[in-house]
Amino acid sequence: MAFSLPQDLQDQLDKRFGDTVAYNSLLSEISYWKIGGTVNCVIKPESLEDLEDALFITSCFPDVPRLIIGDCSNLLFDDEGFNGILIKLDNGLANINFEDDRVYCEAGVWVPELAYHCYRNGLGGVEHICGIPGRIGGLVYMNGGSQRRGILENVETVIAMTNEGKRVTFTANELEHSYRESPFQGKPLIIAAVELKLDRRPRSEVRNEMRKILASRRKKFPRKLPNCGSVFLSNPKMYDVVGPPGFAIEKAGLKGVRKGNAQLSPLHANFIVNLGGASSADVLYLIALARNTVKAQTGFTMDCEVRYIRPNGEMVPAHVYSDKVTFEK
């Protein structure tokens, strides 16, 4: 990778974070899709104070691209890598506290673990997240969920940070949202912690609902091959006329279609799986193929839930760059 970090920046990171900073890491080793080149630097904060300092130090070097990520469960990195710094929120920032019907959790909490702890504490309302990989910070950012629900339905408070590491608190009445959209998307804010308000329910009832959801996911979704979950968002208007994206792609005759070592999954056509050594270009090709074919057959345009990360750090819905792909019909 031609790009290198300024020595002064590297010195400050080494002094503050020591050997917890990793240099020249492979994105394919941290991506759910197992795709991506090399990244210059990865920082893993182990407290909110660490996150504040990581944001402040890196903000002093505005020419160095920086991204804040969780488990990368909905990210497509480029094969050329990322010329900058990743601040990765995971197990080091994963405190959970329960008080009555409220749950405080830091952004790095793993979503299935949160669902499990809620069940163990007799709290219901977020059963729909039990099978979703990733971290709660990313789930709130995307207003993610399943069964056409979103996590922001249960969020009472969000502690966010500015690009410079200053804390800002948002309450529920400030969190306008819609399906897979949150007020944090496109804003210079980093979700650091959230508080959820849930309902007291019998543990057996919560457990049974979670079991049903997990059983359904096991039947429908590919689990053995690297993927990033649902690629395309469900459009309510399209859903009423045509059905969900996976059905539309299957009806278009594309289920199981391959490009290189990427494939529209034979189990669920709204998943693109990595058969081994797939490239970002392969994935973008299949996104373009599915999107354009479904648009031609139904008149509906499917937008991506998956985000694509360019080498310069620009993050956009993957269809924005798949639109530039030249493909054969």
Side-chain angles (χ1 to χ4, degrees), residues 5 17 21 23 37 41 53 59 87 90 98 106 113 120 135 147 152 160 170 187 234 265 318 322 325:
L5 298 180
F17 298 103
V21 182
Y23 296 102
C41 175
D53 288 348
S59 71
I87 299 177
D90 56 19
F98 288 83
E106 293 176 340
E113 183 180 2
R120 293 294 299 172
R135 307 287 170 169
Q147 301 180 313
L152 281 172
F170 297 87
K187 301 288 180 60
S234 183
S265 173
S322 75
V325 173

Side-chain angles (χ1 to χ4, degrees), residues 55-319:
L55 292 170
F56 175 75
I57 291 170
T58 54
S59 71
C60 295
F61 297 83
D63 293 335
V64 179
R66 181 192 71 184
L67 284 176
I68 290 78
I69 61 170
D71 264 1
C72 311
S73 56
N74 74 327
L75 298 181
L76 174 64
F77 290 108
D78 194 275
D79 293 317
E80 293 184 15
F82 171 47
N83 298 319
I85 294 173
L86 292 179
I87 299 177
K88 193 173 190 303
L89 311 184
D90 56 19
N91 293 335
L93 202 65
N95 288 314
I96 304 177
N97 292 309
F98 288 83
E99 185 173 343
D100 297 325
D101 60 352
R102 284 171 166 77
V103 186
Y104 167 87
C105 47
E106 293 176 340
V109 169
W110 194 48
V111 173
E113 183 180 2
L114 172 61
Y116 173 78
H117 283 297
C118 290
Y119 143 65
R120 293 294 299 172
N121 281 272
L123 294 172
V126 291
E127 294 87 336
H128 64 101
I129 70 173
C130 66
I132 299 175
R135 307 287 170 169
I136 189 64
L139 196 73
V140 170
Y141 178 86
M142 293 298 299
N143 190 23
S146 69
Q147 301 180 313
R148 303 186 64 75
R149 295 185 60 190
I151 189 64
L152 281 172
E153 297 170 18
N154 292 96
V155 172
E156 280 279 286
T157 307
V158 173
I159 298 173
M161 292 188 186
T162 67
N163 280 331
E164 297 77 27
K166 294 181 180 179
R167 300 191 192 192
V168 186
T169 300
F170 297 87
T171 56
N173 60 358
E174 299 173 287
L175 300 174
E176 292 186 11
H177 58 275
S178 58
Y179 185 73
R180 301 299 176 260
E181 292 187 355
S182 82
F184 301 101
Q185 293 171 13
K187 301 288 180 60
L189 292 169
I190 297 91
I191 296 167
V194 302
E195 184 181 63
L196 307 173
K197 184 179 186 304
L198 304 179
D199 302 315
R200 285 284 169 198
R201 290 175 57 190
R203 288 203 303 177
S204 59
E205 185 178 315
V206 177
R207 181 185 64 241
N208 290 339
E209 181 64 22
M210 289 170 61
R211 283 179 171 174
K212 290 177 184 178
I213 292 170
L214 291 173
S216 174
R217 291 180 71 88
R218 280 193 292 268
K219 289 178 182 178
K220 294 190 298 183
F221 301 148
R223 296 183 299 134
K224 295 183 179 180
L225 292 171
N227 67 81
C228 269
S230 297
V231 173
F232 294 102
L233 289 162
S234 183
N235 177 336
K237 292 181 179 178
M238 176 179 160
Y239 191 97
D240 292 339
V241 177
V242 180
F247 178 77
I249 296 167
E250 181 176 356
K251 192 174 179 181
L254 298 177
K255 191 175 186 180
V257 168
R258 289 180 59 168
K259 172 63 174 176
N261 285 317
Q263 182 184 40
L264 288 160
S265 173
L267 288 177
H268 195 300
N270 196 20
F271 283 58
I272 294 176
V273 295
N274 181 353
L275 300 174
S279 68
S280 57
D282 292 339
V283 173
L284 291 172
Y285 178 99
L286 289 178
I287 290 172
L289 180 64
R291 193 168 188 254
N292 289 13
T293 304
V294 169
K295 173 70 180 296
Q297 292 191 4
T298 70
F300 288 99
T301 299
M302 300 186 303
D303 288 342
C304 279
E305 185 168 348
V306 168
R307 266 42 178 179
Y308 167 59
I309 311 297
R310 297 187 66 208
N312 65 0
E314 180 186 11
M315 180 168 67
V316 296
H319 64 263

Side-chain angles (χ1 to χ4, degrees), residues 43-55:
I43 306 169
K44 295 183 179 182
E46 296 184 350
S47 66
L48 293 184
E49 290 73 24
D50 278 0
L51 177 57
E52 287 176 326
D53 288 348
L55 292 170

